[in-house]
Amino acid sequence: MYRPTLDSLVHRLQGPVNHGWGKAFEVLVFLFWLACGTSYRVVSEAFDIPRTTCHDVVHRVSKGIQQIFRQQIHFPSRDELPEIGAGFQQLAGSPAFGNVAGAIDGCHVRIVPPGAFASDYFNRKLFHSIQFQAICDHKGRFLDVHVGFPGSVHDARVLKSSPFFVHQLYPPPGWCLLGDGGYPCLAQPIRLLTPYREPVRNTVQGRYNAKMSRARCVVERAFGVLKTRWRSIFLKALEVKVIIDCLFLHNLCIGTGDILEPEGEDDNGDGDDDNGDGDEVAQECQQQSGDTLRDRLAAAVSAAPAPELRIPVLLEHDYC
């Protein structure tokens, strides 16, 4: 983490203190603990402070971050949407994606499972985890997160219970999200477009899948950056509060230009592992399929319209 990012975090957390070392020292202790993923004993020896003080400092800074969490994790304003759409258009390499407002995916985070319900947290990757669902923009900045579902729950189930989905908070009319094959393709209650199932039927579908994957994988890269920056802590069993802290710091780093490239391949969510649960969720909620929208967008991708052209089908809306 660069010094401007650190200074920005210290400034945001400034407040009354009842000790002699100040907020900057507390932030350094917290970041050292978070980055190294080590015990309070090691951190206390490194900073020459009592172990109980180290514990109090870490929890105090973590609580302070959670209180200002929405300063960094929030949906964009309508004035910011054109920039996001242009970003996804550039990522995909096609002007047909100019109405994309974000990419959505889920990520598994290792935990120590509660004894009575351990099987609920055992995921398909054969370890115990909780999930956090995230929507990010074209820069990999998180716009919304939903943390806490057991690892055995399918991505489509997490989506169905998300506040932004239930209350139709995002994306706004005329815009859509991109998701992988673990999600249902929807036109209502929100617009969520997914790839065609493999094998595709024709080159139009294949071209759409390729362009769409280039745009959607920004959320996977965001997960990769998150785990690369805080690698030590993500290799351990985490609490939900620590995940929230890491997400806040991820956005703060992007905002100050503190960019880090992901290393290796990230094993985040279900990927294209569509077991049909997404279709089941769509039927239960009486949702409207987005297959027609996807077909028209795929046709627009192959037609390669001019960059200034907006895709009419995505501008139409009939929200409840």
Side-chain angles (χ1 to χ4, degrees):
M1 181 179 286
Y2 296 151
R3 182 173 293 276
T5 309
L6 179 61
D7 292 341
S8 177
L9 179 60
V10 173
H11 176 73
R12 292 170 184 270
L13 293 175
Q14 284 293 355
V17 294
N18 56 1
H19 44 71
W21 48 67
K23 187 60 68 176
F25 180 82
E26 289 192 342
V27 171
L28 287 172
V29 171
F30 173 76
L31 292 178
F32 184 88
W33 172 81
L34 193 63
C36 297
T38 188
S39 65
Y40 293 129
R41 178 183 60 81
V42 174
V43 179
S44 66
E45 291 177 356
F47 286 86
D48 194 23
I49 57 177
R51 193 181 310 178
T52 53
T53 301
C54 177
H55 172 274
D56 292 342
V57 166
V58 168
H59 282 260
R60 185 157 52 242
V61 175
S62 176
K63 182 179 179 180
I65 289 176
Q66 291 156 36
Q67 290 175 346
I68 61 174
F69 177 70
R70 286 300 172 187
Q71 290 183 9
Q72 290 294 322
I73 312 292
H74 56 82
F75 290 125
S77 66
R78 288 190 174 272
D79 293 338
E80 297 172 306
L81 286 173
E83 179 185 351
I84 294 176
F88 278 104
Q89 177 179 309
Q90 184 175 5
L91 288 173
S94 171
F97 289 86
N99 293 85
V100 175
I104 185 172
D105 204 356
C107 182
H108 289 276
V109 180
R110 192 181 301 271
I111 64 163
V112 175
F117 305 100
S119 60
D120 294 340
Y121 293 84
F122 196 69
N123 63 35
R124 67 180 184 86
K125 299 177 183 294
L126 306 181
F127 64 88
H128 295 92
S129 68
I130 62 172
Q131 289 196 63
F132 74 85
Q133 173 188 273
I135 302 173
C136 78
D137 65 10
H138 61 294
K139 295 181 179 179
R141 190 176 70 91
F142 293 117
L143 305 178
D144 182 70
V145 293
H146 186 48
V147 186
F149 267 80
S152 62
V153 178
H154 193 275
D155 280 357
R157 295 282 177 182
V158 180
L159 171 69
K160 174 186 175 183
S161 302
S162 305
F164 93 93
F165 179 88
V166 173
H167 302 293
Q168 303 174 30
L169 301 179
Y170 196 76
W175 298 81
C176 69
L177 298 178
L178 300 180
D180 63 24
Y183 293 104
C185 186
L186 297 173
Q188 294 286 354
I190 66 169
R191 293 197 171 183
L192 172 59
L193 301 183
T194 60
Y196 290 100
R197 291 187 181 182
E198 298 289 346
V200 295
R201 298 180 179 179
N202 50 54
T203 56
V204 172
Q205 293 185 359
R207 190 175 294 112
Y208 163 83
N209 276 8
K211 298 289 187 181
M212 189 261 197
S213 177
R214 290 175 57 182
R216 187 196 62 81
C217 68
V218 66
V219 65
E220 296 180 355
R221 289 200 299 272
F223 291 148
V225 168
L226 187 70
K227 292 185 176 181
T228 298
R229 190 182 296 275
W230 310 110
R231 180 182 304 160
S232 296
I233 199 73
F234 269 93
L235 292 176
K236 300 174 63 177
L238 293 184
E239 296 181 5
V240 171
K241 294 180 180 179
V242 180
I243 300 173
I244 296 297
D245 296 337
C246 292
L247 294 171
F248 176 92
L249 294 172
H250 172 88
N251 276 18
L252 183 64
C253 288
I254 291 179
T256 57
D258 190 348
I259 307 299
L260 186 68
E261 292 297 325
E263 294 182 5
E265 222 175 287
D266 182 47
D267 60 342
N268 46 78
D270 288 310
D272 290 334
D273 180 33
D274 187 359
N275 61 8
D277 197 27
D279 295 336
E280 180 185 342
V281 172
Q283 293 172 5
E284 287 181 0
C285 295
Q286 296 182 349
Q287 298 162 355
Q288 181 180 337
S289 171
D291 290 348
T292 301
L293 289 176
R294 182 171 58 186
D295 290 343
R296 295 181 185 177
L297 183 57
V301 170
S302 293
E308 65 274 9
L309 180 63
R310 308 288 279 179
I311 308 303
V313 67
L314 292 180
L315 297 175
E316 302 168 1
H317 62 275
D318 182 23
Y319 278 67
C320 299

